[in-house]
Amino acid sequence: MAQLWGGRFTKETEKAVYDFNASISFDKRLFHEDVNGSLAHVTMLAKQGILTVEEKDSIVAGLESILKDVDDGKLLIDHRYEDVHSFVEANLIDRIGDAGKKLHTGRSRNDQVALDMRLYARNQVCVTDQLLRELLEVILHTMEENRDTYMPGFTHLQKAQPVTLAHHYGAYFEMFKRDRQRMQDIYERMNYCPLGAGALAGTTYPLDRDCVASLLGFAGPTLNSMDSVSDRDYLLEFLAAMATIMMHLSRFSEEIIIWNSNEYQFVEIDDAYSTGSSIMPQKKNPDIAELVRGKTGRVYGALMSLLTTMKGIPLAYNKDMQEDKEMAFDAMDTCASCLKLFTGMLSTMKFRKDRMAVSAMKGFTNATDLADYLVAKEVPFRDAHGIVGRIVLHCIDQGISIEEMPLKDLRTFCDRFDKDVYQAISLETCVEKRNTVGGPGLIAMENEIKACRAYLNDRPAMKAPELTR
Ligand code: ARG
């Protein structure tokens, strides 16, 4: 049991207490961030004359050798240490002796862990942005290829009006685009360095906080030391944004599961992204989509957990805050793997365009257009709505679609019908005429696709500043 304190204690910590308190099993993930933070800290300490250049050089060499040995698998971050911070410091002192004891000058684990977590989350915000961008590429590619792939649009999961696959996918493009905008917002708001806040009240050493902030690629130092050590808002914002990404992925998954069902058969998920049944040989299941839908709950759980942890914490640092890590890490891992797998599944999925078009033609998706046809012939819309409703009832009774009705039968419902009606209610016309901004018509869709392409070109993925790895 190696810990960083003990002077004022007369007894050893109870083993169960030590284990309960320890965080090394999960904060070892912050190893690189911890070393990077320490490298910046000692560089600044020497610049300010708080450490000598020799002491700084010795600490830097020691930290770099620890970094290398851990990365090469020669040094294990093991459970003899309370947390990752103790691990690094104890190993440094082992390697370089007394100079190592000066690393923690003007620093507390409170501002240290606040920094580590922020660096880790900042990097993950960029990873998430990159994964979202890759998903958007696949979505846009499908849009470009399917400008005239007709399918039914639904409300209440009832066929409503015909749309195109490009238009349907365009909705998801907008959702994931907003998710990227959230990553950008979070990055900008979180990108301030808490190191130098000390335990809660700053320090008496003449630290240069701007220097540390700039060495670590932050826009500047945080402004209040008590807030610096007790703020986890950025993590909550990130969790909320990941929960929203998962909600989007889950809705999309739900649609794919429906489209992939035996009844719909709009899509076929690639063999490489499907699974079979141990008993039913005919089965090919959409497990990836189902798992993405299922894992959404974990990410919501992480958000709820941290919100609840934070709500009763008086200023400043309290040990409750150690609970910010495990579920947040799990949420980051979950969201990243779902984005990756979902993108892979989407890019290999095949569309059954024939079945989609037939489905769009059935179910009276052109009923609104038939009413609009009568409006163009000067029938008031409310009357037209009633006439078409009666026609639909008649068709259901006969087991036919509207376009299968002979003109003379249509005329028994309203004498304004003419032979141009068939053209007016064809699938193509129904979609084509919807060219208001944001609609599925060819011209509107062309503009939408152009705007999406321009957006992707203008917005390369965010990259976190390069730090020592
Ligand atoms: N493991 C702790 C955490 O994650 C590090 C900070 C410890 N600070 C303290 N005052 N005990 O929050």
Side-chain angles (χ1 to χ4, degrees), residues 389-400 405 409 413:
R390 286 188 289 280
I391 291 175
V392 168
L393 196 62
H394 166 84
C395 288
I396 293 172
D397 193 46
Q398 301 291 305
I400 56 172
M405 275 179 78
D409 291 0
F413 289 88

Side-chain angles (χ1 to χ4, degrees), residues 38 78 187 189 234 308 409:
S38 291
D78 64 60
Y187 189 104
R189 205 164 18 255
Y234 68 92
T308 313
D409 291 0

Side-chain angles (χ1 to χ4, degrees), residues 7-70:
R8 61 103 62 220
F9 288 78
T10 53
K11 271 190 189 172
E12 277 281 307
T13 320
E14 192 67 45
K15 167 90 170 71
V17 172
Y18 180 85
D19 291 345
F20 189 67
N21 199 43
S23 51
I24 188 111
S25 62
F26 48 87
D27 68 16
K28 62 180 170 198
R29 216 192 246 253
L30 300 175
F31 171 70
H32 287 104
E33 286 70 19
D34 201 71
V35 172
N36 277 314
S38 291
L39 287 169
H41 182 61
V42 290
T43 304
M44 178 276 293
L45 290 179
K47 185 179 89 62
Q48 297 300 94
I50 302 167
L51 293 186
T52 65
V53 173
E54 296 70 43
E55 287 166 334
K56 186 252 312 180
D57 289 344
S58 162
I59 294 174
V60 168
L63 288 172
E64 279 171 352
S65 76
I66 295 171
L67 196 64
K68 184 164 186 327
D69 288 354
V70 168

Side-chain angles (χ1 to χ4, degrees), residues 5 21-24 26-27 30 82-85 108-114 232 317-325:
W5 42 272
N21 199 43
S23 51
I24 188 111
F26 48 87
D27 68 16
L30 300 175
E82 180 189 337
D83 53 28
V84 69
H85 326 296
S108 155
R109 273 187 298 168
N110 297 351
D111 58 347
Q112 189 178 355
V113 78
R232 297 294 182 274
Y317 179 85
N318 294 257
K319 193 64 177 244
D320 318 38
M321 292 170 77
Q322 180 166 288
E323 287 297 309
D324 66 351
K325 294 184 190 58

Side-chain angles (χ1 to χ4, degrees), residues 277-436:
S277 155
S278 60
I279 174 169
M280 297 166 283
Q282 84 283 13
K283 284 289 213 108
K284 187 173 150 189
N285 296 327
D287 283 24
I288 299 305
E290 289 171 16
L291 270 175
V292 169
R293 190 177 59 182
K295 283 176 189 289
T296 302
R298 293 164 75 131
V299 179
Y300 289 5
L303 170 63
M304 218 27 81
S305 161
L306 187 57
L307 278 170
T308 313
T309 298
M310 295 304 294
K311 78 183 252 303
I313 302 183
L315 291 179
Y317 179 85
N318 294 257
K319 193 64 177 244
D320 318 38
M321 292 170 77
Q322 180 166 288
E323 287 297 309
D324 66 351
K325 294 184 190 58
E326 283 166 285
M327 292 184 79
F329 290 151
D330 183 76
M332 294 178 206
D333 293 347
T334 302
C335 186
S337 67
C338 287
L339 278 168
K340 260 186 231 151
L341 269 291
F342 191 87
T343 301
M345 178 182 71
L346 218 57
S347 65
T348 50
M349 198 168 77
K350 300 262 175 326
F351 296 98
R352 300 276 313 267
K353 297 185 186 183
D354 50 334
R355 295 213 30 116
M356 292 165 114
V358 168
S359 172
M361 280 190 285
K362 289 193 179 141
F364 307 104
T365 57
N366 51 6
T368 317
D369 295 83
L370 188 64
D372 288 344
Y373 170 88
L374 289 178
V375 170
K377 308 244 165 174
E378 269 144 36
V379 180
F381 181 76
R382 194 49 58 211
D383 292 340
H385 188 284
I387 294 165
V388 175
R390 286 188 289 280
I391 291 175
V392 168
L393 196 62
H394 166 84
C395 288
I396 293 172
D397 193 46
Q398 301 291 305
I400 56 172
S401 61
I402 300 174
E403 52 277 28
E404 283 168 335
M405 275 179 78
L407 188 56
K408 70 169 179 18
D409 291 0
L410 279 172
R411 284 218 170 112
T412 62
F413 289 88
C414 176
D415 60 8
R416 308 281 168 89
F417 283 122
D418 242 317
K419 56 178 184 311
D420 60 347
V421 65
Y422 297 103
Q423 172 65 28
I425 62 167
S426 76
L427 198 52
E428 292 76 10
T429 316
C430 291
V431 173
E432 261 336 290
K433 278 168 55 187
R434 292 185 152 70
N435 270 316
T436 38

